[in-house]
């Protein structure tokens, strides 16, 4: 099985599109953290605030050491889902040290803090990602106020430069590596059926899916395998670029509700839900179905992904993450509250079946029996 013909057929389709690739500079390679001072000089910053989570303070200090006199301080205050209070604290430090740029070293939470600061103050940032969330490539910001997360798109929150150094993720635990990787995979999978996909996003998403699926088993077998880490990080870049350029569908909307309203953990939720979202959507999305089938080496890609994540030790049900069947109606109502693009029309019956199977951790293939495609077409 190969993805070649599917991509070539798709390229030959008569369709209209708009493409506006990101202007973010990307520097990639094992050991590239060493070029950070040069990259900061290139941006013309002389007083840099280093951002990280409390758990990555040692890495933050290492980055500060590399930056030498360019570093104005380290703020280890990044928190998952960017509470507005965390942005306010970081802003106090930013103002106190009169920083003219930030270096965000860490995962999506740290990049999210840099985005919050950029949105509020216009301060630019350079990202050094250590997970596979892909946030560093997107103009998407998220802020949590009074327990509710709002997101939006703004070009001011795009990273000026991203430095990808695979050596920095060799310490990322296997469990987080797998779920973070599937978070990236979800961006590419939904880009494959996005209403605003282009030949560029098709090719990028296809390569991202292939690279990620090749890398995951290598990481699980040997977390210190730098080549495997490089493959996953390159996939994160490609998949993040897809998230930046296309409109996400049902899967991302459900994850937003599950994280925001039910406080389910971000990457784990993406991992447990994606096989079910794909089982629901792929019958209505032939290019995505063909690409994922080829990449997973199976004519039942949703089941193959579910089996793979289970083999790699991730939670394969929303029930295991704390969602109960009693919560399903509220999630369905939230998902249907505002209309958005999705390859398969959304109905209460369809979403209830999807979420019930996901809570139970049933083989996603059950959705094909329970929900023949015509059921969801008006
Ligand atoms: P994270 O940034 O919260 O990191 C998870 C944990 O892993 C943290 O405790 C962190 O300190 C630790 N960690 C990170 N890298 C490590 C490493 N190399 N070694 C050891 N520990 C490490 O998790 P995440 O999944 O990267 O990010 C999730 C957040 O990003 C969510 O808030 C999500 O909404 C957001 N996100 C945003 C976008 C976007 O485009 N705006 C895209 C994807 C995710």
């Amino acid at each position: 099985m190969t993805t070649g013909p599917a991509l070539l057929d798709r390229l030959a389709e008569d369709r209209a599109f708009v493409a506006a690739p990101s202007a973010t500079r990307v520097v990639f390679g094992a050991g590239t953290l060493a070029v950070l001072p040069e990259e900061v000089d290139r941006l013309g910053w002389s007083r840099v605030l280093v951002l990280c989570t409390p758990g990555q303070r040692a890495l933050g200090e290492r980055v500060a050491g590399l930056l030498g006199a360019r570093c104005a301080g380290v703020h280890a205050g990044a928190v998952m889902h960017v509470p507005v209070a965390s942005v306010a604290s970081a802003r106090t430090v930013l103002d106190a040290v009169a920083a003219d740029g930030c270096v965000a070293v860490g995962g999506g939470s740290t990049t999210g803090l840099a985005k919050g600061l950029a949105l509020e103050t216009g301060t630019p940032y350079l990202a050094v990602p250590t997970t596979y969330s892909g946030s560093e490539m997107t103009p998407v910001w998220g802020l949590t106020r009074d327990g509710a997360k709002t997101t939006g798109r703004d070009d001011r929150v795009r990273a000026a430069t991203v430095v990808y150094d695979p050596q920095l993720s060799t310490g990322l635990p296997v469990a987080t590596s797998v779920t973070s990787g599937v978070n990236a995979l979800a961006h590419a999978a939904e880009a494959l059926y996005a209403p605003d996909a282009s030949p560029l996003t098709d090719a990028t998403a296809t390569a991202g899916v292939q690279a990620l699926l090749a890398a995951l088993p290598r990481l699980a077998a040997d977390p210190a395998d730098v080549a495997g880490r490089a493959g996953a990080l390159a996939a994160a870049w490609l998949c993040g670029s897809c998230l930046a350029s296309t409109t996400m569908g049902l899967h991302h909307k459900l994850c937003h509700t599950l994280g925001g309203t039910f406080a389910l953990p971000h990457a784990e939720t993406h991992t447990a839900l994606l096989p079910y979202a794909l089982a629901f959507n792929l019958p209505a999305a032939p290019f995505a179905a063909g690409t994922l089938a080829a990449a997973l080496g199976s004519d039942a890609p949703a089941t193959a992904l579910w089996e793979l994540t289970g083999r790699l030790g991730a939670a394969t049900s929303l029930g295991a993450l704390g969602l109960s069947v009693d919560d399903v109606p509220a999630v369905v109502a939230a998902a249907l509250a505002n209309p958005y693009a999705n390859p398969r029309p959304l109905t209460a019956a369809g979403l209830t079946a999807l979420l019930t199977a996901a809570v139970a951790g049933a083989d996603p293939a059950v959705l094909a029996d329970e929900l023949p495609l015509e059921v969801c077409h008006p």
Side-chain angles (χ1 to χ4, degrees):
M1 224 183 284
T2 144
T3 56
L7 192 55
L8 291 179
D9 289 349
R10 174 91 150 156
L11 283 169
E13 277 176 21
D14 177 18
R15 61 178 168 154
F17 59 85
V18 174
S22 155
T24 297
R25 174 178 165 87
V26 171
V27 182
F28 192 101
T32 37
L33 186 65
V35 304
L36 193 60
E38 254 172 70
E39 290 300 323
V40 165
D41 289 346
R42 201 170 188 279
L43 292 164
W45 305 339
S46 56
R47 295 192 58 75
V48 172
L49 180 63
V50 176
L51 304 173
C52 59
T53 59
Q56 288 191 293
R57 182 181 272 282
L59 180 59
E61 297 290 352
R62 185 176 149 207
V63 166
L66 268 174
L67 291 173
R70 302 168 190 84
C71 183
V74 177
H75 178 66
V79 179
M80 177 80 92
H81 297 313
V82 199
V84 286
S86 71
V87 180
S89 314
R91 184 172 185 175
T92 306
V93 180
L94 189 83
D95 291 344
V97 301
D100 53 6
C102 293
V103 167
V105 55
S109 298
T110 305
T111 305
L113 178 59
K115 288 178 170 183
L117 284 172
L119 197 61
E120 210 172 274
T121 69
T123 308
Y125 73 97
L126 177 156
V128 183
T130 61
T131 69
Y132 309 127
S133 80
S135 175
E136 67 283 352
M137 285 311 298
T138 82
V140 180
W141 55 265
L143 287 171
T144 302
R145 193 184 307 270
D146 299 328
K149 186 167 181 181
T150 39
T151 59
R153 282 180 180 250
D154 194 311
D155 278 335
R156 283 177 299 170
V157 310
R158 282 188 189 273
T161 300
V162 180
V163 173
Y164 285 109
D165 183 343
Q167 283 174 354
L168 298 180
S169 49
T170 50
L172 189 66
V174 170
T176 320
S177 302
V178 171
T179 55
S180 182
V182 179
N183 185 191
L185 183 69
H187 307 329
E190 291 223 295
L192 290 167
Y193 54 58
D196 42 7
S198 72
L200 186 60
T201 62
D202 289 345
T204 307
T206 301
V209 164
Q210 290 173 333
L212 201 272
L213 289 170
L216 281 187
R218 289 184 66 163
L219 299 188
D222 177 10
D225 173 1
V226 175
R229 292 287 181 184
L233 207 53
W237 165 46
L238 297 170
C239 297
S241 304
C242 293
L243 174 61
S245 308
T246 58
T247 305
M248 296 288 104
L250 175 65
H251 172 76
H252 279 74
K253 303 287 176 194
L254 287 176
C255 285
H256 184 81
T257 301
L258 293 168
T261 310
F262 293 89
L264 264 56
H266 181 80
E268 291 88 339
T269 303
H270 270 275
T271 305
L273 183 65
L274 187 61
Y276 299 95
L278 293 178
F280 181 84
N281 271 339
L282 292 185
F287 173 63
T291 303
L292 288 162
L296 282 151
S298 165
D299 289 332
T303 294
L305 178 62
W306 176 72
E307 288 171 348
L308 175 68
T309 56
R311 270 201 309 280
L312 297 178
T316 52
S317 76
L318 293 180
L321 301 178
L323 196 77
S324 113
V325 276
D326 298 338
D327 299 322
V328 167
V331 184
V332 171
L336 292 174
N338 299 305
Y340 51 86
N342 191 64
R344 188 168 183 173
L346 302 178
T347 63
L351 293 182
T352 301
L354 186 169
L355 286 161
T356 305
V359 168
D363 182 337
V366 297
L367 291 179
D369 303 329
E370 282 184 31
L371 286 176
L373 191 54
E374 60 275 16
V375 171
C376 279
H377 277 298

